Amino acid sequence: MMNKLWFWCFLQIPLLVWAQSGEVNFGFSAGAAFYQPRIRLHQNAPLPGVEFLGSIRTGDGGNGNFIFEFGYMQSRIPEIRSFYSYRSGFLVRDANCVNNHHYFAPAAYWRAPVWEEEKLALQIGLQVNWLFRTHSFCRYQVDSTWQQEWQGPFPLNARDRFYPVLKTGAETRLLQSPKMKVYAYLNIFHQLPAFSPPGDKNYKDSLLSSRYLAPAMGWNIGIRTYL
């Protein structure tokens, strides 16, 4: 039931776009993301990742407007790992690795200006981070020589792949011209219970599950431009 509800909510996005009056602006966002789903295993603090998103802003912005985003987000998580190296053929113990997680990240949220000239606007909405690839980059020593190699991509069938987050944040306008508007934004992610697509019967590792609420468990910062 919950899975169908999430998908029904996202099917409403095209209707919300057409319901808005006024101009429609297209743009893109680029920034840094500090994100990882909260699970039941011990986790290290995330390193800076990246995000690249396309944006659609509807309405005239006077009393608020909807913004829809879609694009790519990468997170980077440090981890100490032991594995058999395909390069050296040895068992590597306690290698310094960085896990790279790649997400498709559609979002829809409401934006309302607080101060004049868009010096401050507040945002709240929903984003779904769909994990589609994960691998690691590791460094270790063999005979006093530093080696490095990629591990993975790792299988995803034993873990959740869809992570909805409530996104709250703010932005401020840095530049406005007849052809361009530029904003700086900051958002905080509040994790909602993870879900699987309807009909997905794959086994899920309970330790890798994110099916519970977790406030303020990630954030991003960047620049958004409308043309």
Side-chain angles (χ1 to χ4, degrees), residues 173-206:
R173 191 173 68 197
L174 303 178
L175 173 67
Q176 178 173 356
S177 70
K179 295 183 178 181
M180 179 182 298
K181 296 178 181 179
V182 179
Y183 299 83
Y185 66 87
L186 171 67
N187 294 294
I188 298 176
F189 297 143
H190 313 271
Q191 179 171 290
L192 302 175
F195 67 94
S196 300
D200 184 1
K201 304 299 183 182
N202 291 334
Y203 164 76
K204 300 295 180 183
D205 187 336
S206 60

Side-chain angles (χ1 to χ4, degrees), residues 86-180:
Y86 73 90
R87 296 188 60 184
S88 64
F90 295 112
L91 172 62
V92 178
R93 297 186 182 275
D94 300 331
N96 292 310
C97 299
V98 175
N99 295 328
N100 294 272
H101 304 294
H102 305 270
Y103 300 89
F104 175 62
Y109 53 93
W110 176 255
R111 170 189 179 277
V114 177
W115 291 341
E116 295 181 356
E117 299 181 355
E118 297 186 311
K119 293 180 180 179
L120 176 66
L122 302 181
Q123 307 165 356
I124 185 171
L126 178 67
Q127 178 170 316
V128 173
N129 299 320
W130 171 32
L131 178 66
F132 65 87
R133 182 182 174 90
T134 177
H135 53 83
S136 292
F137 179 73
C138 301
R139 299 183 72 247
Y140 57 91
Q141 277 188 306
V142 175
D143 297 329
S144 300
T145 301
W146 280 102
Q147 304 287 336
Q148 59 187 30
E149 66 180 83
W150 290 96
Q151 293 284 314
F154 303 118
L156 301 173
N157 59 334
R159 63 179 299 169
D160 295 321
R161 296 182 61 188
F162 288 84
Y163 304 96
V165 295
L166 177 68
K167 184 166 70 170
T168 59
E171 70 177 16
T172 181
R173 191 173 68 197
L174 303 178
L175 173 67
Q176 178 173 356
S177 70
K179 295 183 178 181
M180 179 182 298

Side-chain angles (χ1 to χ4, degrees), residues 19-35:
Q20 294 298 295
S21 60
E23 62 179 339
V24 175
N25 298 112
F26 298 89
F28 59 91
S29 303
F34 297 78
Y35 174 75

Side-chain angles (χ1 to χ4, degrees), residues 23-76:
E23 62 179 339
V24 175
N25 298 112
F26 298 89
F28 59 91
S29 303
F34 297 78
Y35 174 75
Q36 64 174 319
R38 186 67 55 79
I39 59 178
R40 288 163 175 80
L41 295 173
H42 169 77
Q43 294 174 289
N44 298 316
L47 299 171
V50 297
E51 64 176 12
F52 300 99
L53 306 167
S55 300
I56 301 174
R57 190 173 78 173
T58 65
D60 57 15
N63 297 317
N65 38 18
F66 280 104
I67 293 181
F68 305 93
E69 293 186 325
F70 47 91
Y72 166 79
M73 181 173 68
Q74 179 199 28
S75 67
R76 301 169 61 243

